[in-house]
Amino acid sequence: MSQTAKASTATHIRPIQAADLTALKAFLSELSPGTLYFRFGRMSVPMLTQEQWHELCEPHPQRCAQFVATQITGPGRYGIVGMARLVFQSSDHDSPDSAEFSMVVADHLQNQGLGRQLMHALVGEANRRGLTHIYGDVLPSNTTMLSFCKGLGFVSRACPDDSRIHRMTLSIRTQKFKDVTASMAAPDRGDARLQA
């Protein structure tokens, strides 16, 4: 990321679009090995086909919702500094009213509240679609993400596919959810390495 991008404080969160392909590739290529590991389970950018790259930027609206956080890097230019997605009915264990979330934040912007803003976008989309809960599978070594989720009202359960992994679940249609979404709109400093 350029020094101009690092100095920018205005961040815009919006749905991903086809024109984001180059910026998305640049964003992922600049993530540290540790950040990549917590997000993708490997310390390098996944080897994707051109079709898979395009699917990331043009997700099917019935299967996925994806958001990016962008910052202006110069006249007519922007960079991606975070992304978050919801995948609907991603496994046999899912109900039609649930979605799996994931997110990743640029290393230089971790622990500055951007993850909270991205989560706010995700839960807003889940609520708009009438979902009852969202969840993310988190490695036990990703203690920062576990703490972040618990602070927002997520409950930890064992993942059905691997009991060593934490399945962090947030119920949507409760008063606690309304309180949580209100808190997500406020800045927070506890979201370093937000990868599920």
Side-chain angles (χ1 to χ4, degrees), residues 7 22 27 38 60-61 71 88 103 117 134 150 154 160 164 172 174 180 182-183 195:
T22 299
F27 165 63
F38 281 136
H60 192 290
Q71 290 184 346
F88 311 111
M103 69 170 65
Q117 295 176 51
I134 64 173
K150 290 177 181 177
F154 283 76
R164 296 169 298 178
I172 301 296
T174 62
V180 167
S183 72
Q195 295 80 36

PDB file of all heavy atoms in Angstrom, residues 7 22 27 38 60-61 71 88 103 117 134 150 154 160 164 172 174 180 182-183 195:
ATOM      1  N   ALA A   7      -1.737   7.152   4.823  1.00  0.00           N
ATOM      2  CA  ALA A   7      -2.025   8.404   5.501  1.00  0.00           C
ATOM      3  C   ALA A   7      -3.502   8.757   5.450  1.00  0.00           C
ATOM      4  O   ALA A   7      -3.978   9.565   6.215  1.00  0.00           O
ATOM      5  CB  ALA A   7      -1.206   9.526   4.870  1.00  0.00           C
ATOM      6  N   THR A  22      -8.356  -5.550  -9.853  1.00  0.00           N
ATOM      7  CA  THR A  22      -6.944  -5.189  -9.717  1.00  0.00           C
ATOM      8  C   THR A  22      -6.622  -4.750  -8.297  1.00  0.00           C
ATOM      9  O   THR A  22      -5.610  -5.155  -7.714  1.00  0.00           O
ATOM     10  CB  THR A  22      -6.581  -4.073 -10.710  1.00  0.00           C
ATOM     11  OG1 THR A  22      -6.795  -4.542 -12.041  1.00  0.00           O
ATOM     12  CG2 THR A  22      -5.122  -3.670 -10.557  1.00  0.00           C
ATOM     13  N   PHE A  27      -4.401  -5.737  -2.810  1.00  0.00           N
ATOM     14  CA  PHE A  27      -4.662  -5.803  -1.364  1.00  0.00           C
ATOM     15  C   PHE A  27      -4.196  -7.128  -0.782  1.00  0.00           C
ATOM     16  O   PHE A  27      -3.460  -7.162   0.209  1.00  0.00           O
ATOM     17  CB  PHE A  27      -6.160  -5.600  -1.123  1.00  0.00           C
ATOM     18  CG  PHE A  27      -6.634  -5.991   0.243  1.00  0.00           C
ATOM     19  CD1 PHE A  27      -6.175  -5.344   1.374  1.00  0.00           C
ATOM     20  CD2 PHE A  27      -7.557  -7.021   0.396  1.00  0.00           C
ATOM     21  CE1 PHE A  27      -6.623  -5.708   2.645  1.00  0.00           C
ATOM     22  CE2 PHE A  27      -8.012  -7.379   1.653  1.00  0.00           C
ATOM     23  CZ  PHE A  27      -7.544  -6.728   2.776  1.00  0.00           C
ATOM     24  N   PHE A  38      -4.431 -16.602   9.037  1.00  0.00           N
ATOM     25  CA  PHE A  38      -5.675 -16.560   9.795  1.00  0.00           C
ATOM     26  C   PHE A  38      -6.894 -16.444   8.891  1.00  0.00           C
ATOM     27  O   PHE A  38      -7.978 -16.901   9.248  1.00  0.00           O
ATOM     28  CB  PHE A  38      -5.659 -15.404  10.796  1.00  0.00           C
ATOM     29  CG  PHE A  38      -4.879 -15.698  12.040  1.00  0.00           C
ATOM     30  CD1 PHE A  38      -4.014 -14.754  12.578  1.00  0.00           C
ATOM     31  CD2 PHE A  38      -5.000 -16.915  12.682  1.00  0.00           C
ATOM     32  CE1 PHE A  38      -3.294 -15.017  13.732  1.00  0.00           C
ATOM     33  CE2 PHE A  38      -4.283 -17.194  13.843  1.00  0.00           C
ATOM     34  CZ  PHE A  38      -3.430 -16.239  14.365  1.00  0.00           C
ATOM     35  N   HIS A  60     -22.468 -14.170  -6.813  1.00  0.00           N
ATOM     36  CA  HIS A  60     -23.884 -14.426  -7.094  1.00  0.00           C
ATOM     37  C   HIS A  60     -24.701 -13.939  -5.894  1.00  0.00           C
ATOM     38  O   HIS A  60     -24.459 -14.361  -4.762  1.00  0.00           O
ATOM     39  CB  HIS A  60     -24.122 -15.917  -7.314  1.00  0.00           C
ATOM     40  CG  HIS A  60     -25.466 -16.237  -7.874  1.00  0.00           C
ATOM     41  ND1 HIS A  60     -26.631 -16.086  -7.141  1.00  0.00           N
ATOM     42  CD2 HIS A  60     -25.844 -16.688  -9.093  1.00  0.00           C
ATOM     43  CE1 HIS A  60     -27.665 -16.433  -7.881  1.00  0.00           C
ATOM     44  NE2 HIS A  60     -27.215 -16.805  -9.071  1.00  0.00           N
ATOM     45  N   PRO A  61     -25.664 -13.067  -6.104  1.00  0.00           N
ATOM     46  CA  PRO A  61     -26.385 -12.469  -4.970  1.00  0.00           C
ATOM     47  C   PRO A  61     -27.155 -13.467  -4.118  1.00  0.00           C
ATOM     48  O   PRO A  61     -27.444 -13.179  -2.953  1.00  0.00           O
ATOM     49  CB  PRO A  61     -27.331 -11.464  -5.638  1.00  0.00           C
ATOM     50  CG  PRO A  61     -27.457 -11.936  -7.054  1.00  0.00           C
ATOM     51  CD  PRO A  61     -26.141 -12.546  -7.396  1.00  0.00           C
ATOM     52  N   GLN A  71      -9.961   3.190   0.410  1.00  0.00           N
ATOM     53  CA  GLN A  71      -9.427   4.507   0.727  1.00  0.00           C
ATOM     54  C   GLN A  71      -8.891   5.136  -0.555  1.00  0.00           C
ATOM     55  O   GLN A  71      -8.354   4.432  -1.422  1.00  0.00           O
ATOM     56  CB  GLN A  71      -8.308   4.423   1.764  1.00  0.00           C
ATOM     57  CG  GLN A  71      -8.767   4.049   3.158  1.00  0.00           C
ATOM     58  CD  GLN A  71      -7.643   4.063   4.173  1.00  0.00           C
ATOM     59  OE1 GLN A  71      -6.466   4.101   3.814  1.00  0.00           O
ATOM     60  NE2 GLN A  71      -7.988   4.034   5.441  1.00  0.00           N
ATOM     61  N   PHE A  88     -23.998 -17.833   2.008  1.00  0.00           N
ATOM     62  CA  PHE A  88     -25.263 -18.401   2.450  1.00  0.00           C
ATOM     63  C   PHE A  88     -25.294 -19.900   2.206  1.00  0.00           C
ATOM     64  O   PHE A  88     -24.910 -20.364   1.132  1.00  0.00           O
ATOM     65  CB  PHE A  88     -26.426 -17.719   1.716  1.00  0.00           C
ATOM     66  CG  PHE A  88     -26.331 -16.226   1.754  1.00  0.00           C
ATOM     67  CD1 PHE A  88     -26.056 -15.498   0.607  1.00  0.00           C
ATOM     68  CD2 PHE A  88     -26.468 -15.541   2.948  1.00  0.00           C
ATOM     69  CE1 PHE A  88     -25.951 -14.125   0.644  1.00  0.00           C
ATOM     70  CE2 PHE A  88     -26.358 -14.167   3.002  1.00  0.00           C
ATOM     71  CZ  PHE A  88     -26.099 -13.454   1.843  1.00  0.00           C
ATOM     72  N   MET A 103     -13.632 -12.211   7.162  1.00  0.00           N
ATOM     73  CA  MET A 103     -13.143 -10.862   6.899  1.00  0.00           C
ATOM     74  C   MET A 103     -11.629 -10.806   7.055  1.00  0.00           C
ATOM     75  O   MET A 103     -11.023 -11.669   7.699  1.00  0.00           O
ATOM     76  CB  MET A 103     -13.814  -9.827   7.801  1.00  0.00           C
ATOM     77  CG  MET A 103     -13.453  -9.908   9.262  1.00  0.00           C
ATOM     78  SD  MET A 103     -14.056  -8.470  10.194  1.00  0.00           S
ATOM     79  CE  MET A 103     -15.817  -8.688  10.053  1.00  0.00           C
ATOM     80  N   GLN A 117     -16.424  -1.914  11.727  1.00  0.00           N
ATOM     81  CA  GLN A 117     -17.251  -1.313  10.678  1.00  0.00           C
ATOM     82  C   GLN A 117     -17.651  -2.354   9.630  1.00  0.00           C
ATOM     83  O   GLN A 117     -18.791  -2.359   9.146  1.00  0.00           O
ATOM     84  CB  GLN A 117     -16.481  -0.179  10.007  1.00  0.00           C
ATOM     85  CG  GLN A 117     -16.178   0.996  10.922  1.00  0.00           C
ATOM     86  CD  GLN A 117     -15.320   2.035  10.224  1.00  0.00           C
ATOM     87  OE1 GLN A 117     -15.633   2.476   9.124  1.00  0.00           O
ATOM     88  NE2 GLN A 117     -14.230   2.430  10.855  1.00  0.00           N
ATOM     89  N   ILE A 134     -25.498 -15.452  12.058  1.00  0.00           N
ATOM     90  CA  ILE A 134     -24.308 -15.604  11.225  1.00  0.00           C
ATOM     91  C   ILE A 134     -23.231 -16.253  12.078  1.00  0.00           C
ATOM     92  O   ILE A 134     -23.271 -16.186  13.310  1.00  0.00           O
ATOM     93  CB  ILE A 134     -23.815 -14.261  10.663  1.00  0.00           C
ATOM     94  CG1 ILE A 134     -23.360 -13.317  11.789  1.00  0.00           C
ATOM     95  CG2 ILE A 134     -24.884 -13.610   9.803  1.00  0.00           C
ATOM     96  CD1 ILE A 134     -22.701 -12.045  11.267  1.00  0.00           C
ATOM     97  N   LYS A 150     -16.445 -12.294  20.770  1.00  0.00           N
ATOM     98  CA  LYS A 150     -17.121 -12.387  22.063  1.00  0.00           C
ATOM     99  C   LYS A 150     -17.549 -11.009  22.557  1.00  0.00           C
ATOM    100  O   LYS A 150     -18.622 -10.852  23.146  1.00  0.00           O
ATOM    101  CB  LYS A 150     -16.212 -13.072  23.078  1.00  0.00           C
ATOM    102  CG  LYS A 150     -16.007 -14.554  22.810  1.00  0.00           C
ATOM    103  CD  LYS A 150     -15.029 -15.178  23.799  1.00  0.00           C
ATOM    104  CE  LYS A 150     -14.808 -16.652  23.496  1.00  0.00           C
ATOM    105  NZ  LYS A 150     -13.798 -17.269  24.397  1.00  0.00           N
ATOM    106  N   PHE A 154     -21.000 -12.599  20.073  1.00  0.00           N
ATOM    107  CA  PHE A 154     -20.943 -13.927  19.472  1.00  0.00           C
ATOM    108  C   PHE A 154     -20.746 -14.986  20.559  1.00  0.00           C
ATOM    109  O   PHE A 154     -20.070 -14.747  21.563  1.00  0.00           O
ATOM    110  CB  PHE A 154     -19.766 -14.023  18.493  1.00  0.00           C
ATOM    111  CG  PHE A 154     -20.000 -13.356  17.160  1.00  0.00           C
ATOM    112  CD1 PHE A 154     -19.936 -11.971  17.040  1.00  0.00           C
ATOM    113  CD2 PHE A 154     -20.275 -14.117  16.032  1.00  0.00           C
ATOM    114  CE1 PHE A 154     -20.133 -11.351  15.817  1.00  0.00           C
ATOM    115  CE2 PHE A 154     -20.466 -13.508  14.797  1.00  0.00           C
ATOM    116  CZ  PHE A 154     -20.399 -12.121  14.696  1.00  0.00           C
ATOM    117  N   PRO A 160     -18.758 -28.245  13.820  1.00  0.00           N
ATOM    118  CA  PRO A 160     -19.180 -29.623  13.531  1.00  0.00           C
ATOM    119  C   PRO A 160     -18.138 -30.418  12.740  1.00  0.00           C
ATOM    120  O   PRO A 160     -18.070 -31.633  12.855  1.00  0.00           O
ATOM    121  CB  PRO A 160     -20.465 -29.437  12.713  1.00  0.00           C
ATOM    122  CG  PRO A 160     -20.951 -28.084  13.066  1.00  0.00           C
ATOM    123  CD  PRO A 160     -19.728 -27.261  13.310  1.00  0.00           C
ATOM    124  N   ARG A 164     -11.845 -28.810  17.308  1.00  0.00           N
ATOM    125  CA  ARG A 164     -10.776 -27.940  17.800  1.00  0.00           C
ATOM    126  C   ARG A 164     -10.983 -26.487  17.374  1.00  0.00           C
ATOM    127  O   ARG A 164     -10.394 -25.576  17.952  1.00  0.00           O
ATOM    128  CB  ARG A 164      -9.419 -28.430  17.279  1.00  0.00           C
ATOM    129  CG  ARG A 164      -9.022 -29.816  17.782  1.00  0.00           C
ATOM    130  CD  ARG A 164      -7.814 -30.331  17.021  1.00  0.00           C
ATOM    131  NE  ARG A 164      -8.129 -30.467  15.595  1.00  0.00           N
ATOM    132  CZ  ARG A 164      -7.246 -30.865  14.675  1.00  0.00           C
ATOM    133  NH1 ARG A 164      -6.001 -31.135  15.038  1.00  0.00           N
ATOM    134  NH2 ARG A 164      -7.599 -30.979  13.411  1.00  0.00           N
ATOM    135  N   ILE A 172     -29.304 -12.979  15.328  1.00  0.00           N
ATOM    136  CA  ILE A 172     -29.676 -11.705  14.720  1.00  0.00           C
ATOM    137  C   ILE A 172     -30.943 -11.119  15.332  1.00  0.00           C
ATOM    138  O   ILE A 172     -30.989  -9.951  15.681  1.00  0.00           O
ATOM    139  CB  ILE A 172     -29.877 -11.861  13.197  1.00  0.00           C
ATOM    140  CG1 ILE A 172     -28.586 -12.368  12.547  1.00  0.00           C
ATOM    141  CG2 ILE A 172     -30.330 -10.551  12.570  1.00  0.00           C
ATOM    142  CD1 ILE A 172     -27.428 -11.427  12.656  1.00  0.00           C
ATOM    143  N   THR A 174     -32.651 -10.670  18.076  1.00  0.00           N
ATOM    144  CA  THR A 174     -32.782 -10.536  19.527  1.00  0.00           C
ATOM    145  C   THR A 174     -32.510  -9.083  19.914  1.00  0.00           C
ATOM    146  O   THR A 174     -31.921  -8.313  19.160  1.00  0.00           O
ATOM    147  CB  THR A 174     -31.785 -11.440  20.267  1.00  0.00           C
ATOM    148  OG1 THR A 174     -30.452 -11.033  19.934  1.00  0.00           O
ATOM    149  CG2 THR A 174     -31.978 -12.903  19.891  1.00  0.00           C
ATOM    150  N   VAL A 180     -25.851  -4.874  20.042  1.00  0.00           N
ATOM    151  CA  VAL A 180     -24.553  -5.148  19.428  1.00  0.00           C
ATOM    152  C   VAL A 180     -24.353  -4.282  18.189  1.00  0.00           C
ATOM    153  O   VAL A 180     -23.295  -3.694  17.983  1.00  0.00           O
ATOM    154  CB  VAL A 180     -24.430  -6.644  19.063  1.00  0.00           C
ATOM    155  CG1 VAL A 180     -23.243  -6.883  18.136  1.00  0.00           C
ATOM    156  CG2 VAL A 180     -24.257  -7.476  20.334  1.00  0.00           C
ATOM    157  N   ALA A 182     -25.623  -1.463  17.509  1.00  0.00           N
ATOM    158  CA  ALA A 182     -25.393  -0.082  17.924  1.00  0.00           C
ATOM    159  C   ALA A 182     -23.937   0.100  18.351  1.00  0.00           C
ATOM    160  O   ALA A 182     -23.297   1.100  18.030  1.00  0.00           O
ATOM    161  CB  ALA A 182     -26.337   0.295  19.063  1.00  0.00           C
ATOM    162  N   SER A 183     -23.390  -0.890  19.064  1.00  0.00           N
ATOM    163  CA  SER A 183     -22.006  -0.784  19.513  1.00  0.00           C
ATOM    164  C   SER A 183     -21.032  -0.902  18.352  1.00  0.00           C
ATOM    165  O   SER A 183     -19.950  -0.336  18.374  1.00  0.00           O
ATOM    166  CB  SER A 183     -21.691  -1.858  20.558  1.00  0.00           C
ATOM    167  OG  SER A 183     -21.611  -3.143  19.973  1.00  0.00           O
ATOM    168  N   GLN A 195      -9.577 -12.136  11.119  1.00  0.00           N
ATOM    169  CA  GLN A 195      -9.747 -13.168  10.118  1.00  0.00           C
ATOM    170  C   GLN A 195     -10.419 -14.366  10.720  1.00  0.00           C
ATOM    171  O   GLN A 195      -9.985 -14.886  11.738  1.00  0.00           O
ATOM    172  CB  GLN A 195      -8.398 -13.605   9.520  1.00  0.00           C
ATOM    173  CG  GLN A 195      -7.684 -12.521   8.738  1.00  0.00           C
ATOM    174  CD  GLN A 195      -6.961 -11.557   9.610  1.00  0.00           C
ATOM    175  OE1 GLN A 195      -6.409 -11.928  10.632  1.00  0.00           O
ATOM    176  NE2 GLN A 195      -6.957 -10.309   9.231  1.00  0.00           N
TER     177      GLN A 195
END
